[in-house]
Amino acid sequence: MQNRATKSRSSPPIGIIVRSCIVGIRGLQLVMICILALATLIPGISFPIETWLTRFSPWGHILVAIIAIILAALSFWCVWGLWCLRSWALWAIVIVQSASIFLSIIVFTRTPP
């Protein structure tokens, strides 16, 4: 009988590793969206191209940043859950990524003022 000190931990299956990487990359994209949304509020900073964020009011920028950082934190939490083979992580990823897609649809389909 093995004790806990000598018991080896199994690595996650390759499908879980791939899914964790994809969700982690999406979390990084959400962090970049948050930084971009907040950077456009700073006076004196201008971007050479018109971004999709120029369509929003300053409160819209703050709202997008808050939602993006919450979704990014939840994405990273789900990545940790997947990597540790937690049973709740698969359904949590479905919920978080659905909310993330919903945010992307709202942001990219908003008509200019």
Side-chain angles (χ1 to χ4, degrees), residues 17-96:
I17 293 172
V18 170
R19 187 173 291 166
S20 296
C21 291
I22 291 170
V23 174
I25 290 169
R26 178 63 180 156
L28 291 174
Q29 288 175 340
L30 288 167
V31 169
M32 290 187 290
I33 287 172
C34 177
I35 291 170
L36 181 64
L38 294 177
T40 56
L41 291 176
I42 300 172
I45 292 183
S46 62
F47 293 98
I49 58 171
E50 182 177 335
T51 64
W52 53 268
L53 278 170
T54 57
R55 302 180 206 161
F56 288 102
S57 69
W59 288 109
H61 288 245
I62 293 170
L63 182 64
V64 166
I66 289 171
I67 292 172
I69 202 69
I70 289 171
L71 287 174
L74 288 173
S75 294
F76 294 137
W77 177 63
C78 289
V79 168
W80 172 81
L82 271 179
W83 196 262
C84 294
L85 300 175
R86 304 285 190 234
S87 60
W88 50 263
L90 289 174
W91 286 109
I93 281 189
V94 169
I95 294 168
V96 169

